[in-house]
Amino acid sequence: MSTQAESWHAALHRLQREGVPHALATQVTSAGSTPREPGARMVITADAVYDTLGGGTFEWQTIAAARQRLADGRAGMSLEAFSLGGRSGQCCGGFVNVLLEVFPGSTTTLAVFGAGHVGRELVRLAAPLPWRVRWHDSRVDAFPDWAPDQPRLACRHAPDPAEAVAALPPGVHALVLTHDHAEDRALVDALLARGDTASLGLIGSKSKWASFRRRLHEAGHGEQALAGVRCPIGTAAGPNQGEKRGGDKTPYAIAIAAIAELLPLVVSPERGDQRGLDPARLRSMLTDEPHQ
C-alpha cells in the first residue's frame, strides 16, 4: 500500500476532476475506544491511500473492501461495521461504522484530433459528460486558454499521427477533424490499423470520404473496417451514407450533432447505483448504536 502526503479532500477533488476510480471512506459512528472520531476520512485508489482512519487492522480491512468494490466496478454506498476486538483483531474494544462511497471514474475515453472551431466546441460540450477527453493537435499553441480548467481533459501536442494513435487506450471513441486532409487520412489509417476503437468518426463530405475510402482500401483496410467509419459526423442516417448535411452548419451545431451521435454508442456505468443505503443501515447512522 502506498500512503500519500496529499490530504483526503485535495485527493478527492483531483481524482474527481481526472476521472480516476476511487473510494471515499468516512467514519460515521463510533462507540467505546476507537482510533479516530466520527468524521475522519480517507480516500482510496487501486494503488494509493490518502489520509487515515487511525491505522490498524480495521483500516486495512476498509482499504481491502474499497479496492474490492473498485475492482468489481460497484459504484454507490455501503456501510462497513467493525468491532475493534472481533472482526478487526484489535484490542480497543470499541465499535466503528465506516461509510464507503465508491466512484468508478470515467471508463469512457474520447479522443479528439483537431483544435479548430469544431474541435473546440466538441470539447466544451463534452465537459459535463463523465468522459475522459484526450485532445490532440499537431500545431504548437493550438489549444485555448480555458482548456487547463476543464475536468478530465488532457491536451497533447501530436505532430506524429501514428505515435498519437499508438498512445490511446483500447476501446477509445475517436473523432478526426484536423485542419489538414492528409493528417486526417493518416489518423484514420492508424486508428483502423489498431482495430480496437469503440467508434471512429471523420469530419467531411461525401466526396472526401469517397477519396479516403478508396485510398484506405488500397492501403489494406477491409470493407468491414471501412464500414465502421462515420463520415460525415453528426448525421442521423447512419455511418458512410454520405448525405449532405442540412440545416445549421456552424461549428457549434456540428459539434452538438456529433456528441448526440456518440451518446447511444457509449456505455456509461460511471454513475453507478445511486439508490443509496438499506433503510436499516441508514437509521443506524443516525443513532448512537453502530449497525452490526
Side-chain angles (χ1 to χ4, degrees), residues 41-57:
R41 291 180 172 91
M42 66 190 303
V43 170
I44 302 152
T45 69
D47 55 9
V49 174
Y50 304 88
D51 254 318
T52 179
L53 297 183
T57 304

Side-chain angles (χ1 to χ4, degrees), residues 5-284:
E6 191 175 14
S7 66
W8 71 264
H9 46 85
L12 184 66
H13 177 70
R14 177 177 57 79
L15 295 168
Q16 290 276 342
R17 282 185 57 88
E18 295 175 356
V20 176
H22 60 283
L24 174 64
T26 304
Q27 183 176 328
V28 291
T29 64
S30 64
S33 178
T34 60
R36 295 286 302 274
E37 299 76 26
R41 291 180 172 91
M42 66 190 303
V43 170
I44 302 152
T45 69
D47 55 9
V49 174
Y50 304 88
D51 254 318
T52 179
L53 297 183
T57 304
F58 104 90
E59 181 173 287
W60 282 85
Q61 292 171 334
T62 300
I63 294 168
R67 286 180 171 162
Q68 186 61 58
R69 288 178 62 89
L70 286 168
D72 294 342
R74 289 185 288 152
M77 296 182 288
S78 66
L79 197 64
E80 300 290 328
F82 299 92
S83 173
L84 305 187
R87 173 182 173 183
S88 69
Q90 294 182 231
C91 58
C92 299
F95 294 91
V96 174
N97 279 325
V98 176
L99 177 66
L100 282 180
E101 298 175 81
V102 178
F103 305 89
S106 299
T107 58
T108 298
T109 300
L110 172 64
V112 177
F113 292 92
H117 297 297
V118 177
R120 292 185 181 212
E121 298 297 349
L122 271 167
V123 171
R124 282 185 186 274
L125 287 167
L129 298 169
W131 303 346
R132 291 186 187 181
V133 179
R134 293 190 177 184
W135 198 7
H136 307 76
D137 201 286
S138 61
R139 299 166 294 180
V140 178
D141 299 327
F143 302 106
D145 293 339
W146 51 260
D149 296 326
Q150 183 157 314
R152 300 177 301 281
L153 173 63
C155 298
R156 305 190 175 183
H157 177 229
D160 184 334
E163 184 177 322
V165 169
L168 295 174
V172 71
H173 294 266
L175 291 174
V176 177
L177 37 117
T178 79
H179 64 289
D180 182 81
H181 278 208
E183 188 174 331
D184 281 353
R185 190 171 62 251
L187 285 163
V188 174
D189 184 21
L191 288 161
L192 288 173
R194 279 192 59 137
D196 63 357
T197 56
S199 70
L200 173 53
L202 169 68
I203 199 167
S205 61
K206 179 178 179 179
S207 59
K208 176 180 176 178
W209 176 241
S211 173
F212 273 39
R213 184 184 182 101
R214 174 176 49 79
R215 297 186 67 171
L216 290 166
H217 181 71
E218 291 171 353
H221 299 291
E223 290 299 320
Q224 184 175 357
L226 294 171
V229 181
R230 301 188 315 283
C231 183
I233 57 172
T235 58
N240 300 330
Q241 300 305 305
E243 291 81 3
K244 182 179 179 181
R245 175 186 297 280
D248 195 337
K249 299 181 183 180
T250 62
Y252 183 70
I254 295 171
I256 288 177
I259 290 290
E261 192 175 59
L262 271 176
L263 289 174
L265 305 177
V266 175
V267 178
S268 297
E270 288 89 352
R271 301 193 183 278
D273 184 355
Q274 300 298 322
R275 292 172 296 175
L277 295 169
D278 176 82
R281 291 190 171 190
L282 200 56
R283 283 195 300 272
S284 76

